[in-house]
Structure formats: C-alpha cells, structure tokens
C-alpha cells in the first residue's frame, strides 16, 4: 500500500469514494489548522469536509452533515509497513 492519501474519501460503504483498507489504517484530518475527529467525507482538491451536526438524523438514518470549505490537510495515522 502506498503512502499517498486519496484526494477524496468517505466513511459510507455505498459511496464511490469509500475505501475500507485506508479507513482501517487510520486517517487524520486537519481543517483550518484544527484537527477534526467527526469528519464523514473530505475532498482535498476542492477544499471541503463534511462533519456531523449534533444527533439529528437524515431520512437514511445517518447523522445530518454540514459542508465546510477551507484548507484540508490529511495524513495516515500509522506507517504503511506496520
């Protein structure tokens, strides 16, 4: 597995941007200089993240999300050979 993080990643299995191997490896996300732990999807090239908002659910039973725009920085939390 390479050390290159994907440009776009989602935590939902029905999304075309879902990658279980990368999610199991662990991804860190920093948005506007602050590390976020509630990111559900991100896109580095477009500069946005989706974060859950409270406990409200949408019609699919998923948490409601808010799309925030700004600089996104992503890294792996572990090493590739570990």
């Amino acid at each position: 597995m390479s050390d290159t993080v994907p440009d776009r990643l989602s935590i939902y299995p029905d999304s075309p941007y879902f990658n279980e191997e990368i999610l199991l490896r662990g991804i860190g996300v920093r948005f506007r200089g602050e590390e976020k732990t509630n990111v559900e999807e991100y896109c580095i090239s477009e500069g946005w993240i989706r974060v859950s908002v409270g406990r409200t659910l949408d019609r699919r039973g998923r948490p409601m999300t808010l799309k925030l725009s700004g600089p996104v920085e992503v890294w792996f939390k572990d090493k590739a050979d570990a």
Side-chain angles (χ1 to χ4, degrees):
M1 185 181 292
S2 71
D3 278 339
T4 306
V5 293
D7 178 57
R8 190 167 176 177
L9 187 65
S10 174
I11 64 169
Y12 296 114
D14 59 342
S15 171
Y17 303 106
F18 176 76
N19 188 327
E20 185 176 11
E21 292 177 8
I22 291 176
L23 291 172
L24 289 175
R25 188 172 168 192
I27 293 285
V29 179
R30 184 174 292 125
F31 179 72
R32 293 185 184 163
E34 182 180 332
E35 189 169 348
K36 298 286 188 180
T37 58
N38 61 341
V39 176
E40 298 196 4
E41 187 174 1
Y42 72 80
C43 183
I44 298 171
S45 62
E46 295 177 12
W48 57 263
I49 62 171
R50 284 199 181 275
V51 294
S52 58
V53 181
R55 296 184 180 187
T56 307
L57 302 177
D58 67 5
R59 64 180 180 233
R60 296 180 195 125
R62 296 179 180 167
M64 293 288 284
T65 61
L66 182 64
K67 186 175 181 180
L68 303 173
S69 298
V72 179
E73 190 179 331
V74 180
W75 68 92
F76 286 112
K77 290 187 174 181
D78 68 347
K79 301 293 180 195
D81 52 308

